[in-house]
């Protein structure tokens, strides 16, 4: 379990590849998973990769990540709305790296606030699919300590 990284994806990320490609790029969620798997293999880490369009599922996924090395979380639109996800992160005491494909600060004002950032170890945004790999690199060296 401490050698496992959970990569959790929120609503509409199942549509990557065709969803607003000018914003999110052409990579599909399967491409993101392949990049995460390669990064984990380089570090000798196991990968759990999940996506849901439902807020409660993401809360459950966070709870199920207890005992792992940490979580890479792209909560998508729930980033900007979800007290439940912020509470879950605090409750599980896991290291969470918040990731966004797009640079949310270069977009609409409602994307500038995140409920996740105050309870995340770090935030990566605007670097596309590479952000996931960088987050896994960070977790690989984070040592599994409580954030
Ligand atoms: C996103 C940014 C969010 O504002 C948006 O709601 C998403 C995707 C990103 O990866 O850039 O669905 O998290």
């Amino acid at each position: 379990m401490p050698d496992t990284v959970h990569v959790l994806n929120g609503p509409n990320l199942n549509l990557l590849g065709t969803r607003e490609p000018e914003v999110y790029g052409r990579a599909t969620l399967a491409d993101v998973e392949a990049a995460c798997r390669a990064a984990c293999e380089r570090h000798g880490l196991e990968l759990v990769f999940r996506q849901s369009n439902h807020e409660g599922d993401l809360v459950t996924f966070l709870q199920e990540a207890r005992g792992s090395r940490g979580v890479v979380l792209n909560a998508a639109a729930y980033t900007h709305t979800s007290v439940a996800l912020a509470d879950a992160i605090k409750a599980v005491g896991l290291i969470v790296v918040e990731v966004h494909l797009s640079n949310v600060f270069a977009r609409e004002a409602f994307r500038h606030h995140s409920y996740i950032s105050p309870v995340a170890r770090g935030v990566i945004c605007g670097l596309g699919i590479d952000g996931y790999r960088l987050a896994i690199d960070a977790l690989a060296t984070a040592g599994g300590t409580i954030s």
Side-chain angles (χ1 to χ4, degrees), residues 114-128:
S114 167
Y115 282 94
I116 310 299
S117 298
V119 291
R121 173 65 64 93
V123 183
I124 299 171
C125 79
L127 302 181

Side-chain angles (χ1 to χ4, degrees), residues 11 13 19 24 74-77 79-80 99-102 104 107 111:
L13 293 173
R19 174 194 183 196
Y24 297 114
N74 185 349
T79 304
H80 316 299
V99 168
H100 302 285
L101 294 155
S102 64
V104 288
R107 301 182 63 195
R111 296 186 203 276

Side-chain angles (χ1 to χ4, degrees), residues 7 31-43 45-49 136:
V7 177
D31 294 331
V32 176
E33 180 170 2
C36 290
R37 202 162 294 287
C40 281
E41 271 169 20
R42 273 199 302 279
H43 294 295
L45 294 166
E46 296 290 318
L47 174 69
V48 174
F49 191 93
I136 289 169

Side-chain angles (χ1 to χ4, degrees), residues 3-55:
D3 290 333
T4 301
V5 165
H6 290 240
V7 177
L8 306 181
N9 296 281
N12 300 306
L13 293 173
N14 55 314
L15 300 180
L16 282 180
T18 57
R19 174 194 183 196
E20 299 181 82
E22 67 286 1
V23 177
Y24 297 114
R26 297 256 171 219
T28 65
L29 194 62
D31 294 331
V32 176
E33 180 170 2
C36 290
R37 202 162 294 287
C40 281
E41 271 169 20
R42 273 199 302 279
H43 294 295
L45 294 166
E46 296 290 318
L47 174 69
V48 174
F49 191 93
R50 305 173 97 174
Q51 187 274 334
S52 177
N53 293 325
H54 304 277
E55 185 176 13

